[in-house]
Amino acid sequence: MARLTPEIEPLLDAETIAGRVREMGRQISEDFGAKNLTALVVLKGSFVFAAELVRAIDLPLTVEFIGLRSYGSRTSTSGVVEITLDVKYPLNNCDVLVIEDIVDTGLTMDYLIKNLKTRLPSSIRVATLLHKPARSKVEVPIDYLGFTIPDRFVVGYGLDYEGYGRNLPYIGALVGDSKVD
Ligand code: 5GP
């Protein structure tokens, strides 16, 4: 049966995203110098962003994946976070760069940072493509930010709506869904 696709209003086109991600990569390359980095990709939403960002970082690095699921309604999180896939290797003495798609309430990132600290890395920095400051419930450190966006539910470039839309090359907002909560 055909699936109804929600109406999506474009917010950030592919070219704009690519340009900003290249700048973020340059900045990260400068800041980390010759250090060996571990890029920690938060699945699933950041897989597209991470693929583009790591190629813009001109440093030796390893890539690890962590899967997180935050429970909630279709378009908002409750703050209850579960690790669905854990990192295979110890992170002690690593310079970890967390690569996240979006910081919304901040609850997921807050949980992740607290969890990572118990693994005794040398440092933790956070790169997120998107940030919705209007929805913030907890302060989280963001070292590298792609774009600040309004309080809209967004899809595309890795971000989904009920599992779909991750393959859209741009980022758009669901029409009629600026609420959430
Ligand atoms: P938090 O509210 O804990 O900061 O965000 C939790 C997670 O909800 C994010 O990592 C992301 O996976 C998802 N999320 C938050 N806002 C959006 C959004 O606008 N679009 C999509 N597709 N996912 C979102």
Side-chain angles (χ1 to χ4, degrees):
M1 213 213 299
R3 202 192 134 77
L4 286 176
T5 29
E7 202 184 327
I8 295 167
E9 176 192 331
L11 278 187
L12 296 164
D13 63 42
E15 226 171 279
T16 306
I17 300 168
R20 183 72 193 115
V21 174
R22 275 196 299 274
E23 283 172 12
M24 293 173 80
R26 263 197 299 274
Q27 189 62 57
I28 291 166
S29 310
E30 279 175 30
D31 290 356
F32 279 84
K35 279 189 193 166
N36 280 337
L37 259 188
T38 297
L40 182 61
V41 182
V42 184
L43 298 175
K44 293 180 185 175
S46 65
F47 79 105
V48 176
F49 171 46
E52 198 150 355
L53 183 63
V54 294
R55 285 177 294 162
I57 300 174
D58 185 20
L59 291 173
L61 58 79
T62 58
V63 180
E64 295 294 334
F65 298 92
I66 190 162
L68 297 182
R69 182 192 296 141
S70 51
Y71 290 95
S73 68
R74 285 187 302 182
T75 56
S76 79
T77 179
S78 63
V80 179
V81 182
E82 183 195 4
I83 294 182
T84 54
L85 172 81
D86 208 348
V87 184
K88 292 271 188 307
Y89 301 99
L91 293 171
N92 56 310
N93 303 322
C94 292
D95 291 299
V96 177
L97 176 70
V98 176
I99 302 181
E100 177 63 297
D101 52 356
I102 184 164
V103 174
D104 183 22
T105 61
L107 293 167
T108 303
M109 188 55 71
D110 185 58
Y111 170 89
L112 178 59
I113 290 172
K114 283 180 179 145
N115 182 292
L116 291 176
K117 279 184 177 163
T118 67
R119 305 173 194 222
L120 307 177
S122 300
S123 64
I124 302 172
R125 289 193 219 189
V126 174
T128 183
L129 182 64
L130 305 173
H131 183 215
K132 280 189 219 170
R135 301 246 317 142
S136 176
K137 285 190 179 155
V138 51
E139 265 311 285
V140 289
I142 297 175
D143 301 281
Y144 306 99
L145 171 62
F147 303 93
T148 297
I149 60 165
D151 182 5
R152 303 282 301 273
F153 190 83
V154 292
V155 293
Y157 198 75
L159 291 122
D160 75 309
Y161 175 66
E162 296 193 335
Y164 288 85
R166 296 192 195 275
N167 56 323
L168 293 173
Y170 62 91
I171 291 171
L174 291 193
V175 173
D177 201 352
S178 52
K179 43 143 190 67
V180 216
D181 272 337

